[in-house]
Amino acid sequence: MRERVVIKWGGGLITKKDVLKEPQLDVIGSLADQILECNRGGIDVILVHGAGSFGHLKAKTYRLAEGRVDSSEANLLGPLTQDEAIEEVRNDMMELNRHIMDALTVRDISAVSLPPHQWATDTGTAFKGSLEHFIQAPKGITVVTFGDVVSCQDSREFGILSGDGLVARLAVEVPHVSRLVFAIGGVDGVLAVPPVNAGPDDLIEILTPEHVFDGEHESAIDVTGGIGLKVDRGFYVASHGIDVIMVNGGHPSRVLRACKGSEVRGTKLSVPSSDFKQR
Ligand code: IPE
């Protein structure tokens, strides 16, 4: 039985987060190299990527995470209607996804992309949509999806389905996933103090649900929840007996070590086995 891992590439890692639609192609390339190494080592990958500057900036301007706003307020948001902004963000996300698919295919990695606005509705971990394509993926195929603007079945009409919600469900519901790896940008994992004040010793290597930590949430540009949301989703996954680790994706070899389950600098999320839930 081949192993399966779920990897999330954070948007802040694969894009310049504050410059509209600027991919970090060199980072994407070296992360794709690690997926090839995983495949060669008998590990199949489900890859979920974030949005960074291809999603958050416009989503924030047009308040897409809140759903439909009153037309009087919507008119003040900017030159686009919310519907036009949805279309643009979806297209922008497809564009970012194409950069990623190109990096995979140029390395002969067989990959298929499943954009959430085509198969999922609703947000958070309770999103609806069949995971069958992920479950049935033949061995050696990397299935790719990403944070996206999706329809909602309630009065919001639409919302943002974060990659963090996707990874949580995929790790737990796709059989034989042994670990979930968050590759994040700029930090080595969860820090005990805000990143600007942190030294090398401030990395929390093992994070338990009781831990109190200082999650810096860039609410000015991040519409889906920052590190706190990742930790929350991560504990949900860890409580099903699946290893969850956050590593600095700026060091791609750490991502590979994390995928293999080797010792690596990063933050491991730990839930006591007595608290494990059934998958
Ligand atoms: C956000 O997805 C999607 C959009 C804003 C369209 P994520 O929440 O997974 O993205 P990052 O990793 O924070 O950029």
Side-chain angles (χ1 to χ4, degrees), residues 15-195:
T15 74
K16 290 210 173 84
K17 215 169 173 177
D18 41 6
V19 187
L20 190 62
K21 287 176 54 179
E22 182 121 344
Q24 301 258 47
L25 294 178
D26 47 342
V27 177
I28 293 172
S30 26
L31 290 166
D33 287 337
Q34 314 308 315
I35 293 191
L36 184 60
E37 285 309 311
C38 282
N39 291 164
R40 286 186 174 145
I43 301 174
D44 288 334
V45 173
I46 294 175
L47 174 63
V48 179
H49 66 81
S53 61
F54 283 75
H56 286 285
L57 300 174
K58 267 184 210 160
K60 179 92 190 167
T61 303
Y62 290 95
R63 295 171 53 183
L64 302 185
E66 296 169 43
R68 181 80 62 200
V69 299
D70 281 351
S71 56
S72 55
E73 285 183 73
N75 290 339
L76 304 174
L77 299 175
L80 303 179
T81 64
Q82 277 195 308
D83 290 313
E84 287 165 344
I86 292 170
E87 208 51 38
E88 285 204 2
V89 173
R90 284 179 176 163
N91 288 338
D92 292 348
M93 286 307 297
M94 296 292 277
E95 189 179 323
L96 174 60
N97 181 249
R98 268 194 301 279
H99 287 299
I100 286 159
M101 299 307 283
D102 287 350
L104 298 177
T105 45
V106 88
R107 286 164 178 80
D108 271 341
I109 298 167
S110 307
V112 293
S113 171
L114 299 174
H117 69 263
Q118 296 173 2
W119 60 272
T121 64
D122 297 288
T123 59
T125 47
F127 72 84
K128 297 176 193 67
S130 168
L131 302 184
E132 215 45 35
H133 288 299
F134 298 91
I135 295 169
Q136 300 298 342
K139 68 177 188 325
I141 302 289
T142 299
V143 188
V144 184
T145 190
F146 48 86
D148 204 358
V149 190
V150 295
S151 303
C152 291
Q153 293 173 0
D154 55 27
S155 58
R156 286 176 303 159
E157 297 182 39
F158 53 82
I160 305 275
L161 174 56
S162 159
D164 298 332
L166 287 160
V167 291
R169 292 273 304 278
L170 287 165
V172 171
E173 292 175 36
V174 174
H176 314 301
V177 171
S178 45
R179 54 193 75 84
L180 165 61
V181 175
F182 286 99
I184 53 182
V187 282
D188 285 353
V190 179
L191 306 174
V193 295

Side-chain angles (χ1 to χ4, degrees), residues 205-223:
E205 292 181 337
I206 306 224
L207 187 73
T208 62
E210 294 80 48
H211 249 101
V212 179
F213 73 96
D214 222 329
E216 183 188 321
H217 176 196
E218 295 168 318
S219 55
I221 50 174
D222 187 333
V223 293

Side-chain angles (χ1 to χ4, degrees), residues 184 187-191 203-204 227 246-248 266-267:
I184 53 182
V187 282
D188 285 353
V190 179
L191 306 174
L203 176 70
I204 302 175
I227 194 105
M246 294 184 183
V247 291
N248 187 335
T267 298

Side-chain angles (χ1 to χ4, degrees), residues 234-251:
F235 278 128
Y236 167 78
V237 174
S239 71
H240 291 79
I242 299 162
D243 289 346
V244 180
I245 183 144
M246 294 184 183
V247 291
N248 187 335
H251 297 264

